[in-house]
Amino acid sequence: MSEVKEYKCPSCGAPMYYDVKQESMSCKFCKNTFDIEYIRSHFNDKDNKGSDFDWVKRSKAVWEPYVSDKIEEFDCPSCGGQIITLSSTGTAKCPFCSHNVIISSDFQGDIRPDKIIPFRISKKEFEDRYMEYVSDIKNVPKFFKSKNALANIMGCYIPVWGYSCTCESVVDSKFNSSITVMYYPILANDKNMGWNVFYSMWPFNFNEADDFNESYLTGFYASRYTIGAENAMRDADYRVKETCPVKKLKSDTYTSEPDIKKIIHNKELTYYLVPVWLLNITYEKENYTIAMNGQTGKMCADSLPNNPLYHRLYIIIYLILQLAEFAAVFLYFKPYLFETEINSEIIGIIVMIILACIFFPLVFNVMVSSLICKILFFRNRKKPDSIKKNRYFYVSDFLE
């Protein structure tokens, strides 16, 4: 069994949780609060990696992730009940007493995070921002405005590598140019949150990070890294070398293709946990994600579906316009239809009527119908950023 920890109030013994607003540990029962320094000293929450620990030098020796998640079992320290969770999960809730526990083995020794950015945005603030957003949209299905839509809000600590290095381009053993990269972010676990969401809610300010302390995790979901330090640096090195420029070479200097090497040194790797609010809503078998940066409050969202009434009204408006145009054209050509014998001229007129009522106004009717529906269904509002698809961080954005 791995060690499972629960923070209990020194005053009454009830479970405590991290209060975002007060930036301290709060007791659920007696409401007493205790700052992080008190928790460090009284709960023996100290860094057991050693001050000289170096992720770069130790990258091949520290824990590497499982090929796939395994099911693990733990005993609840409060009630003794059995807690079942995935191997990469660092926190859990007891299904019997509902107490939040921390799986300390995921944050101890060589795999202990270096830094953590605590939540600055509370769950209530996230709920208010979301409801403010959807309340101003008439065309979203009613379910998205109901309290049931908020049932799956989850505060998560996501593991991230912050990578810094210097890259030099060398041509035939002669220095050519160099770049210095600072805190290039690498998502260390993409199982709970994909790159698209992480990219869309960037930036996180690593300078505001605190030394890691497990008490920050109480009441939140947290996971350990599944992309190891060695793999993270290998991918980052490739991107850094691609970005490192080679100054223009004089064509008369080299008679053959010059030997160009890109050398990376001064590597530094820091293991962070960063705060994210996630809301996943399933509607008609489709999943929609709304996420918020728990440090800055930056919100991003998938495009929400339209209210079915929007489509029905669109079709009704389109048909009304189409019928009105048909009636107008028919009345205009009516004398020619009933006062003239059927001949090629009449057939030509009929063809013109069909073209006029079906093909010519098609674009016009679509545009007018859409405009009317938008006027009726949409309001001016501050939209969150959309979740960008297939986007990654550019090394050029992290140059010193």
Side-chain angles (χ1 to χ4, degrees):
M1 291 286 182
S2 298
E3 182 187 351
V4 177
K5 180 187 290 187
E6 182 185 25
Y7 286 86
K8 292 187 177 182
C9 176
S11 298
C12 67
M16 295 191 294
Y17 67 98
Y18 181 74
D19 190 313
V20 176
K21 283 297 183 184
Q22 299 192 55
E23 299 183 7
S24 61
M25 296 291 288
S26 295
C27 176
K28 294 183 177 180
F29 183 75
C30 68
K31 308 302 180 183
N32 282 336
T33 61
F34 306 89
D35 61 31
I36 299 301
E37 289 306 317
Y38 178 92
I39 299 298
R40 288 184 197 276
S41 60
H42 284 72
F43 287 86
N44 195 30
D45 284 350
K46 297 179 180 179
D47 191 344
N48 51 9
K49 281 195 305 186
S51 58
D52 59 345
F53 182 87
D54 189 326
W55 284 103
V56 177
K57 293 179 180 178
R58 295 271 296 159
S59 60
K60 295 183 179 181
V62 295
W63 174 84
E64 283 296 321
Y66 298 119
V67 175
S68 60
D69 263 341
K70 299 178 181 179
I71 299 297
E72 294 184 338
E73 299 178 358
F74 309 100
D75 292 332
C76 176
S78 288
C79 68
Q82 199 169 63
I83 301 172
I84 301 175
T85 185
L86 295 175
S87 56
S88 62
T89 302
T91 59
K93 183 186 287 287
C94 177
F96 303 99
C97 65
S98 297
H99 287 182
N100 294 303
V101 297
I102 297 168
I103 304 167
S104 294
S105 57
D106 287 338
F107 305 111
Q108 286 184 346
D110 284 0
I111 62 173
R112 182 182 177 89
D114 300 304
K115 299 284 185 177
I116 184 171
I117 300 177
F119 274 89
R120 308 297 185 197
I121 306 297
S122 67
K123 181 180 179 180
K124 181 67 166 54
E125 288 175 294
F126 176 58
E127 289 178 348
D128 292 344
R129 282 279 304 280
Y130 169 76
M131 292 306 296
E132 179 183 0
Y133 167 55
V134 296
S135 64
D136 281 345
I137 313 175
K138 285 187 176 181
N139 72 315
V140 74
K142 290 184 178 179
F143 175 77
F144 285 83
K145 300 180 181 181
S146 66
K147 291 184 178 180
N148 292 333
L150 301 175
N152 293 325
I153 292 179
M154 184 167 60
C156 309
Y157 277 107
I158 305 298
V160 175
W161 296 108
Y163 183 54
S164 302
C165 67
T166 298
C167 181
E168 292 183 345
S169 61
V170 178
V171 181
D172 287 340
S173 301
K174 296 179 181 179
F175 175 78
N176 185 272
S177 63
S178 69
I179 58 173
T180 299
V181 180
M182 296 297 293
Y183 301 118
Y184 178 72
I186 306 163
L187 187 60
N189 186 335
D190 56 4
K191 294 182 179 180
N192 305 119
M193 184 184 73
W195 273 96
N196 295 332
V197 179
F198 183 51
Y199 180 94
S200 301
M201 67 174 61
W202 187 262
F204 290 91
N205 186 356
F206 288 157
N207 291 326
E208 294 182 359
D210 293 342
D211 291 335
F212 177 75
N213 186 280
E214 290 180 359
S215 59
Y216 284 118
L217 308 181
T218 52
F220 299 101
Y221 173 87
S223 61
R224 64 187 180 192
Y225 66 79
T226 58
I227 299 174
E230 185 178 5
N231 291 328
M233 285 190 293
R234 184 186 300 117
D235 179 69
D237 285 347
Y238 172 78
R239 296 178 186 275
V240 170
K241 288 180 179 179
E242 277 192 326
T243 306
C244 187
V246 177
K247 291 181 180 179
K248 188 175 181 181
L249 305 173
K250 294 181 180 180
S251 58
D252 57 351
T253 305
Y254 299 93
T255 57
S256 61
E257 190 69 24
D259 181 24
I260 301 175
K261 293 183 179 179
K262 295 185 178 181
I263 304 169
I264 295 180
H265 53 88
N266 296 333
K267 292 185 179 183
E268 291 184 11
L269 195 65
T270 307
Y271 180 23
Y272 292 90
L273 293 184
V274 301
V276 174
W277 287 108
L278 283 177
L279 172 58
N280 291 305
I281 301 176
T282 301
Y283 179 77
E284 294 187 351
K285 298 182 180 180
E286 292 289 333
N287 188 62
Y288 301 89
T289 298
I290 298 90
M292 178 180 282
N293 184 317
Q295 180 189 28
T296 66
K298 182 179 180 181
M299 190 165 128
C300 58
D302 282 326
S303 295
L304 302 184
N306 288 327
N307 191 324
L309 180 61
Y310 176 89
H311 297 288
R312 289 197 290 268
L313 183 62
Y314 176 87
I315 293 172
I316 291 171
I317 294 173
Y318 177 84
L319 291 176
I320 290 173
L321 290 173
Q322 197 73 24
L323 290 173
E325 290 166 356
F326 179 84
V329 173
F330 177 79
L331 291 174
Y332 179 80
F333 287 106
K334 182 178 179 181
Y336 299 96
L337 293 174
F338 295 100
E339 296 177 8
T340 309
E341 294 181 359
I342 301 295
N343 52 37
S344 60
E345 183 181 353
I346 296 301
I347 295 175
I349 292 174
I350 293 173
V351 171
M352 288 179 62
I353 293 175
I354 295 173
L355 291 174
C357 295
I358 297 177
F359 295 103
F360 293 149
L362 181 62
V363 175
F364 174 79
N365 290 348
V366 168
M367 292 177 62
V368 172
S369 300
S370 298
L371 180 61
I372 293 174
C373 285
K374 285 183 178 180
I375 292 174
L376 294 176
F377 277 91
F378 289 87
R379 299 177 184 174
N380 292 327
R381 63 193 184 278
K382 184 178 180 182
K383 293 178 62 177
D385 293 340
S386 59
I387 294 177
K388 299 175 176 62
K389 305 300 181 184
N390 302 318
R391 293 294 299 273
Y392 292 89
F393 294 98
Y394 300 111
V395 173
S396 56
D397 293 332
F398 297 88
L399 300 181
E400 188 177 46

